[in-house]
Amino acid sequence: QVQLVESGGGLVQAGGSLRLSCAASGRTFSAYRMAWFRQAPGKEREFVAGISWSDISTYYADSVKGRFTISRDSSKNTVYLQMNSLKPVDTGVYTCTASPSRIPIYSDSRFWDYWGQGTQVTVSS
């Protein structure tokens, strides 16, 4: 069982930056692949970024490539999402997720096992 707690959300102007954190419980954090999804009002949840358990591979939605960076610090059981050049369309609830699965499918929420409660990100124009 893994528990995930997100933090770092807030209100920021377009063009600004935020760094989200996701703290995970459990001693096997390094064995889990991790990802961030987001959900805007009235829209379906969508994949944002993912990182493999080995830290070798990272994956991004086309809409955030070049602006967002996912990383993890296994010594702190924490995964981060650095978000730069934020746009109003980035507004939504950002949720951290984890899975011990080695299936290399990141963008489909059905392949993730544990979810946090989410943190709100609002980008004003």
Side-chain angles (χ1 to χ4, degrees), residues 15-18 38 60-70 81-90 94 123:
S17 298
L18 282 175
R38 70 185 180 189
Y60 297 94
D62 288 343
S63 59
V64 306
K65 281 180 181 177
R67 300 188 297 123
F68 291 12
T69 303
I70 188 171
L81 185 67
Q82 177 66 43
M83 306 186 294
N84 299 327
S85 303
L86 282 162
K87 306 175 182 179
V89 294
D90 294 318
Y94 284 68
V123 184

Side-chain angles (χ1 to χ4, degrees), residues 31-33 53 98-106 111-113:
Y32 286 74
R33 60 192 185 123
W53 65 275
S99 174
S101 172
R102 294 296 185 261
I103 298 175
I105 299 176
Y106 283 72
F111 288 86
W112 295 92
D113 301 293

Side-chain angles (χ1 to χ4, degrees), residues 101-121:
S101 172
R102 294 296 185 261
I103 298 175
I105 299 176
Y106 283 72
S107 60
D108 190 333
S109 62
R110 295 173 296 176
F111 288 86
W112 295 92
D113 301 293
Y114 304 102
W115 296 84
Q117 293 299 309
T119 185
Q120 176 70 45
V121 172

Side-chain angles (χ1 to χ4, degrees), residues 33-34 50-60 70 72 106:
R33 60 192 185 123
M34 307 290 295
I51 187 165
S52 65
W53 65 275
S54 62
D55 292 352
I56 292 177
S57 301
T58 55
Y59 307 88
Y60 297 94
I70 188 171
R72 64 193 296 166
Y106 283 72

